Amino acid sequence: MTAQEATVTPSAPAPDAVGSVVRVPRLVAHRGAPRVRRENTLPAIAVAEALGAETIEVDVRRTADGVAVLLHDETLGRMWGDARPVSEVRWCDVARLGNGLDRIPRLDAALERLDGCASTLLVDLTDAADAVVAARTVAGFGGTTAVSWCGAPAAMAAVRAELPDADVWLAWQSLEPPTAEDLLALTPSTINLDVAFLTPRTVQAAHALGLRVAVWTVDDAEPALWAARLGVDSITTNDVAAIRAAFAAAERDGWPERDREPTETEVASRAQALAHRIAHEVIAFTREHPVSEVTTKADPADLVTDVDRLVEQHVRSRVRTAFPTHGFTGEEYGDAPGDRHRWYLDPVDGTTNLVNGVPWTSMSLCLTRGGRPLVGVVADPWRGEVLEARRGRGAVVRDRALRLDDVPRALAGAVVGTELDGHRPWPGFGAFLDALADRSCTLRVQGSGTLTIAQVAAGRGIGGCVSSFSPVDHGAAVLLVHEAGGVVLTLDGPVQDFPPVGAPFLVAHPGAADELFQVWTAAVTGGGSAS
């Protein structure tokens, strides 16, 4: 049996409850069995093999003296308490870390452990230099262990150069399905994608090209069953036993569709809890992860960073794992299909601020059902705050209810927020600024439309306006304002849900909404003096 056959041949199809065919995906044990034994160790590999994992994925790095070892991180710190990069430590010193069998193993030891076993070893690589060492280690191994390869494109190219017949899995980080042109460089057998990017269209396109589809990392039954019904060929998981049990139950009892659609209350309750957790995860990541890559999109002022992309990928994965059938629209990766529920995400609103070290950015995450907002959170990494709202249940920050009274408020001495249209003033900006100044009211441009609107819900500022509504950027903040008792207006007057996409809109404290609306509309329409 070849490595490719061992890796990608699916198990026999099973009929589901309505007669269609579901092929039970092969299971890939992520870093062995990390929920039972320490990841990327021989005991973890042994447990994964005993659990019947068809493929066992391990991460490989090289030591200072060119030994291929099993380790995910660049440094030894997280797992082994040594802050040094493994590439600067000789094998003899690496081997001393840990105790008993819980030590960092060499790659050749892992190959020997699986020699004669049915499991394939899937070697995951990030660095091209590591890949060369790993490929040469496998080439020099005299046993029969089947090996496949996955990881960064440069690393896979290095493997292919060393091992022309290697079974390579192509990393895929796009909602667009692969094309024949994408396969020319590596000629992979499989595309390997985060569950965040799993769509029916990608599975269909990959299979049409003769590719298998692998998805990672799935640890819960619901998304695993959903992925199986889409036709994926393998699932990478930290919990082989649980996912295998879920598939066994489905084969035994059938693969039923949902008995009923969950109610709006049920979905909103689960979604609010998930969004709250995600927001805190994003706060920690944004604060701790330095910006290392900056590129542009539409123009030199339209920036995107590795933080934008990494946050979006993380949030998509978290949502897809909890709600596999929901649609998703994100700032960086676009639209994914789904049912009547759709999530909208801006991973970093205020990217220019982030790049320039200005601590005023935010994440916006909003769930809608049939186009109506249900749940919204705005994460402020620099205050460490999560402002959250649920339709009909109010808005809170730090467990404090947000509620704007309707006491009349004067514009004099108050602050109104706005944002530029891209990097330029919006039509009427100057007139609006002058009219507010005439009323002794200050206009602020902070650099994050999400926070500009959301802070009004928190009583920080008397109003805010943006030149073009987008549910990606402003959906969560608009829901916050509604649930806090604020007013949301377009040029045609108040709106109850979202403003039309692309329309200018204003949010305001109810006690100042009428006067601020008059000033704003006069400036935007240019129909007369705003004074």
Side-chain angles (χ1 to χ4, degrees), residues 74 117 200 255 472:
E74 288 186 67
C117 298
W255 299 72
V472 167

Side-chain angles (χ1 to χ4, degrees), residues 275-289:
H276 178 87
R277 292 194 299 271
I278 287 173
H280 283 285
E281 293 164 0
V282 169
I283 285 173
F285 182 86
T286 306
R287 290 176 66 95
E288 297 169 6
H289 189 92

Side-chain angles (χ1 to χ4, degrees), residues 122-126 149-157 160 167-179 182-183 185-195 197 202 206 211-216 313 333:
L122 176 63
V123 179
D124 194 340
L125 296 153
T126 301
W149 306 83
C150 67
M156 293 304 95
R160 179 67 78 210
D167 175 44
V168 170
W169 295 17
L170 175 66
W172 197 251
Q173 292 187 335
S174 173
L175 290 169
E176 290 300 314
T179 66
D182 297 318
L183 312 181
L186 292 176
T187 59
S189 70
T190 305
I191 63 166
N192 192 31
L193 66 158
D194 187 329
V195 67
F197 300 115
T202 293
L211 295 170
R212 303 295 187 183
V213 178
V215 61
W216 55 272
Q313 188 169 340
Y333 292 106

Side-chain angles (χ1 to χ4, degrees), residues 211-393:
L211 295 170
R212 303 295 187 183
V213 178
V215 61
W216 55 272
T217 303
V218 180
D219 297 332
D220 298 306
E222 185 176 358
L225 295 172
W226 172 77
R229 297 198 66 145
L230 288 188
V232 304
D233 301 286
S234 68
I235 290 177
T236 300
T237 179
N238 289 303
D239 198 340
V240 170
I243 301 304
R244 186 177 296 284
F247 287 148
E251 289 186 288
R252 181 185 67 245
D253 303 328
W255 299 72
E257 299 285 354
R258 288 184 182 273
D259 293 331
R260 64 176 180 83
E261 183 178 6
T263 66
E264 180 175 307
T265 299
E266 292 169 336
V267 172
S269 180
R270 290 181 58 207
Q272 184 177 13
L274 175 65
H276 178 87
R277 292 194 299 271
I278 287 173
H280 283 285
E281 293 164 0
V282 169
I283 285 173
F285 182 86
T286 306
R287 290 176 66 95
E288 297 169 6
H289 189 92
V291 174
S292 59
E293 298 176 12
V294 182
T295 57
T296 60
K297 294 190 284 188
D299 57 63
D302 188 8
L303 305 181
V304 61
T305 74
D306 56 323
V307 175
D308 297 74
R309 289 186 288 266
L310 289 169
V311 168
E312 179 157 332
Q313 188 169 340
H314 172 74
V315 177
R316 282 180 178 270
S317 296
R318 294 283 273 119
V319 169
R320 179 53 56 85
T321 298
F323 298 101
T325 63
H326 286 193
F328 200 107
T329 300
E331 177 74 19
E332 307 307 331
Y333 292 106
D335 294 325
D339 57 25
R340 64 184 301 197
H341 297 93
R342 178 161 293 275
W343 295 77
Y344 292 94
L345 169 71
D346 190 347
V348 180
D349 189 65
T351 300
T352 300
N353 282 350
L354 184 68
V355 170
N356 287 277
V358 178
W360 185 267
T361 70
S362 60
M363 179 208 73
S364 173
L365 181 63
C366 181
L367 171 65
T368 64
R369 178 182 173 113
R372 303 183 69 197
L374 282 185
V375 171
V377 297
V378 171
D380 180 346
W382 314 110
R383 285 178 177 264
E385 285 186 344
V386 177
L387 297 90
E388 52 191 299
R390 178 172 163 187
R391 186 182 189 88
R393 301 292 184 92

Side-chain angles (χ1 to χ4, degrees), residues 70-92:
L70 272 54
L71 185 72
H72 175 268
D73 302 346
E74 288 186 67
T75 75
L76 298 158
R78 177 177 65 92
M79 294 301 302
W80 303 99
D82 187 325
R84 292 176 293 174
V86 66
S87 61
E88 298 177 6
V89 183
R90 295 178 61 83
W91 162 245
C92 61

Side-chain angles (χ1 to χ4, degrees), residues 490-512:
T490 66
L491 293 173
D492 296 323
V495 294
Q496 296 304 311
D497 291 316
F498 284 160
V501 174
F505 73 99
L506 169 77
V507 301
H509 186 287

